[in-house]
Amino acid sequence: MTDQAPLPETPTFPSPSPSPDLWAAVDDLWTWLDANRAHGGQEGLLLRMLKLSEEVGEVAQAVIGATGQNPRKGITHTWEDVQGELCDVVITALVALRTLTPDTREVFTRHLAKVTERSLGPSV
């Protein structure tokens, strides 16, 4: 017997229809946030970047809750909650990137290619 929680099963979800375009959705979210921001300038930029740390903390909280690592609270989250929090991290990071550059797609694609090549080697 081990002290580790069992690995989560991968749930199946129906595909949403129609599927939103990732980059258009990032632009739409950025536009909405920019129009409704409480702080502008350098302060607003820094707060947008700090939002990412908040979202990462929510991933940690969900993992702790899904594994029952807090004996006082027990199991408070599911692995689906963790998946949702991870999605929030990705969305928040892409919106933060969009805050820094309107060329979000190109910057991300270029960087992904560098990381992929560094990790997996040149593509054949």
Side-chain angles (χ1 to χ4, degrees), residues 30-52:
W30 174 81
T31 300
W32 175 75
L33 285 169
D34 204 49
N36 293 286
R37 65 183 177 198
H39 303 279
Q42 190 72 10
E43 183 179 22
L45 175 70
L46 295 174
L47 289 169
R48 181 78 46 88
M49 301 305 132
L50 286 176
K51 180 66 176 168
L52 188 55

Side-chain angles (χ1 to χ4, degrees), residues 88-106:
D88 288 348
V89 168
V90 172
I91 293 165
T92 302
L94 289 174
V95 171
L97 180 60
R98 173 59 182 89
T99 300
L100 296 177
T101 177
D103 300 324
T104 312
R105 181 182 205 156
E106 293 79 15

Side-chain angles (χ1 to χ4, degrees), residues 41-105:
Q42 190 72 10
E43 183 179 22
L45 175 70
L46 295 174
L47 289 169
R48 181 78 46 88
M49 301 305 132
L50 286 176
K51 180 66 176 168
L52 188 55
S53 292
E54 178 188 17
E55 295 297 341
V56 170
E58 291 176 11
V59 171
Q61 182 179 21
V63 169
I64 289 168
T67 58
Q69 291 304 301
N70 184 335
R72 184 175 55 82
K73 293 182 179 179
I75 295 178
T76 58
H77 290 74
T78 66
W79 287 104
E80 286 182 15
D81 294 329
V82 175
Q83 291 173 12
E85 296 300 343
L86 286 168
C87 289
D88 288 348
V89 168
V90 172
I91 293 165
T92 302
L94 289 174
V95 171
L97 180 60
R98 173 59 182 89
T99 300
L100 296 177
T101 177
D103 300 324
T104 312
R105 181 182 205 156

